[in-house]
Amino acid sequence: NAGVTQTPKFQVLKTGQSMTLQCAQDMNHNSMYWYRQDPGMGLRLIYYSASEGTTDKGEVPNGYNVSRLNKREFSLRLESAAPSQTSVYFCASSESEANNYGYTFGSGTRLTVV
Amino acid sequence: QKEVEQNSGPLSVPEGAIASLNCTYSDRGSQSFFWYRQYSGKSPELIMFIYSNGDKEDGRFTAQLNKASQYVSLLIRDSQPSDSATYLCAVNKGAGGFKTIFGAGTRLFVKA
C-alpha cells in the first residue's frame, strides 16, 4: 500500500533551471495538493486540484505551475528556479475537496536552489 | 494575526506525564480540525480529526474543541519518548472555501 509517492526525494538546482516534481496516489482520492514547508512558517498551499481536470492557486503560487495528469498524478513544475524556492515540498491527497478526513502526505522533496 | 496559531515550543514533559498542545484559529466559520504529527525529516501524519465541540478520544490521544473560544487542543496521556515530534494543527476554513490552513507547529520533547 504505497499511499502517496513523490519523486525525487532530494534535488539541487542552479538558479534559472527548471524541474518537475512528480506525485502519484493509489488511494482513489479525488483531491490533490502541493505544499511547501519552511522553518517557522508551517505548511503553505501552492496549488491544489479539487478533482481530475481542475487546478487552482493556493496561497503561494508565484513561480510554479501544476498539471493534474489524471486522477492519480499531480505534478509541480518550477520553470525558472530561484533561491527563494529552496524548501521542502509535500504532495498530499484527500478523499474529496471538502477534506473531511484529513490528508495523506507523500514523503517530501527537499529542494535546494543555489 | 495568523489564521492558525500554535506555540512553537519546545514543550518538554517527563515520560508518563500528560502533554497538552494548544491551537487557536481566527475563522469563526471553520468546521473541521486536524492534528498531525511530524517527526524530524519526515512528512506529517494524521493523528486525529474533530468536528464537534467537546472531546474525542483515540487511545492515548484526546482532541478537544471549543468553537465559542476558537481553540482546539490535543492531550497526549502517558507520554513516551517516541511521542517527541512536532505537532501541527490544521483547520478547514468555513464558508467561501475549503482550504486547509496549517499552524507552524509545536515541538514536543518527552524526557525519559
Side-chain angles (χ1 to χ4, degrees):
Chain A
N1 186 5
V4 179
T5 302
Q6 281 183 246
T7 57
K9 293 190 183 303
F10 300 93
Q11 185 72 48
V12 178
L13 289 178
K14 293 182 179 179
T15 298
Q17 287 185 319
S18 62
M19 77 163 296
T20 299
L21 281 63
Q22 306 286 354
C23 176
Q25 52 92 9
D26 63 1
M27 297 171 289
N28 201 35
H29 283 175
N30 288 303
S31 302
M32 299 184 72
Y33 312 82
W34 278 104
Y35 280 88
R36 60 178 288 173
Q37 186 174 40
D38 301 291
M41 301 191 71
L43 288 157
R44 292 182 293 168
L45 183 65
I46 304 171
Y47 271 93
Y48 65 97
S49 172
S51 60
E52 184 179 358
T54 69
T55 61
D56 283 290
K57 295 178 180 179
E59 182 183 358
V60 288
N62 290 345
Y64 306 95
N65 284 301
V66 292
S67 295
R68 182 75 182 265
L69 304 171
N70 48 56
K71 189 171 185 178
R72 292 185 63 250
E73 298 174 286
F74 188 38
S75 63
L76 177 72
R77 182 161 179 84
L78 286 70
E79 291 291 352
S80 178
S84 61
Q85 294 178 304
T86 293
S87 187
V88 180
Y89 292 85
F90 289 105
C91 177
S93 69
S94 64
E95 284 191 13
S96 73
E97 58 186 317
N99 185 28
N100 288 326
Y101 305 109
Y103 291 159
T104 300
F105 282 89
S107 59
T109 296
R110 283 149 183 79
L111 174 67
T112 301
V113 182
V114 298
Chain B
Q1 180 187 7
K2 292 182 179 179
E3 294 185 89
V4 179
E5 293 206 58
Q6 297 180 255
N7 188 319
S8 62
L11 172 66
S12 183
V13 300
E15 184 176 359
I18 296 176
S20 178
L21 305 163
N22 299 313
C23 171
T24 59
Y25 59 94
S26 61
D27 186 342
R28 188 169 287 277
S30 298
Q31 299 174 4
S32 308
F33 307 85
F34 307 87
W35 283 100
Y36 292 82
R37 176 177 61 201
Q38 186 174 25
Y39 292 114
S40 180
K42 302 296 185 182
S43 59
E45 172 191 13
L46 181 68
I47 299 175
M48 295 187 69
F49 56 84
I50 185 168
Y51 307 144
S52 304
N53 279 328
D55 296 358
K56 180 181 179 182
E57 187 174 316
D58 184 0
R60 295 188 296 114
F61 298 97
T62 298
Q64 299 176 317
L65 175 61
N66 184 323
K67 289 186 177 180
S69 299
Q70 295 177 243
Y71 83 79
V72 57
S73 62
L74 179 70
L75 302 179
I76 306 174
R77 291 182 300 280
D78 188 26
S79 295
Q80 301 297 309
S82 59
D83 294 325
S84 297
T86 296
Y87 289 80
L88 306 176
C89 171
V91 175
N92 274 8
K93 295 178 67 173
F98 48 83
K99 289 176 290 184
T100 300
I101 306 299
F102 284 82
T106 298
R107 286 182 297 147
L108 172 66
F109 179 62
V110 181
K111 298 177 293 184

